[in-house]
Amino acid sequence: ITGGNCGQTGTDGSDVTWSYDESSKTITISGTGAMMYYGLTDDYNHSTSPWSHFDDVLEHVVINDGVTSVGAYAFAMCSKLTDVVLPASVFQIDQAAFYTSSLNRIIIPRTEAVSVAQYAFDNCPEGLSIVVPSTLLKTYKNADNWSTYSDKLVGSLSEVTGFNTTDFVSGRYEF
């Protein structure tokens, strides 16, 4: 397993770290606070995230509870990425976080709408599903920057009626 720090620097108290498991091709983001802001390399082919050398093999991203944002360009250019599950603690998806990735599905279980910056899901596959609680579907479709992805938003059961991220990971819900 490879890993290191990926939290914001400064005095915000962030202790966000990452680890990569080669056998499952999974990056796990853990800790509390916000992820760093990344950019693109000079040739615009990779993110400047510390795991960018896994861009062509990374398939899954798990972000653990306590992490509050997905950093800008964090998973941009990940050509094999299939799915991401966010915890309820994430309230912000930063600029171009999944730009030009092969993301098929992202699950966002937070019971309040998560804010999203521009270009977060631009150039992702046509079939991308952004799964949110059904009680928030209309809110998301009308929210700043989310409206760009309104055709990709899918409402699912709310926390109250059984929205459960483990069901999505195991494939028990079909869309």
Side-chain angles (χ1 to χ4, degrees), residues 1 19-28 57-62 82:
I1 292 184
S19 62
Y20 177 71
D21 181 339
E22 189 174 348
S23 64
S24 64
K25 297 178 169 69
T26 301
I27 292 253
T28 301
V57 294
L58 174 65
E59 294 179 6
H60 312 283
V61 172
V62 175
T82 59

Side-chain angles (χ1 to χ4, degrees), residues 26 44 55 71 86 125 132 139 149 164 175:
T26 301
Y44 301 103
D55 283 357
L86 298 182
V132 299
T139 302
Y149 311 110
N164 183 336
F175 298 104

Side-chain angles (χ1 to χ4, degrees), residues 110-133:
R110 189 175 175 92
T111 55
E112 299 167 18
V114 171
S115 64
V116 67
Q118 291 182 319
Y119 318 116
F121 301 102
D122 282 19
N123 295 331
C124 286
E126 192 66 36
L128 170 63
S129 293
I130 301 170
V131 183
V132 299

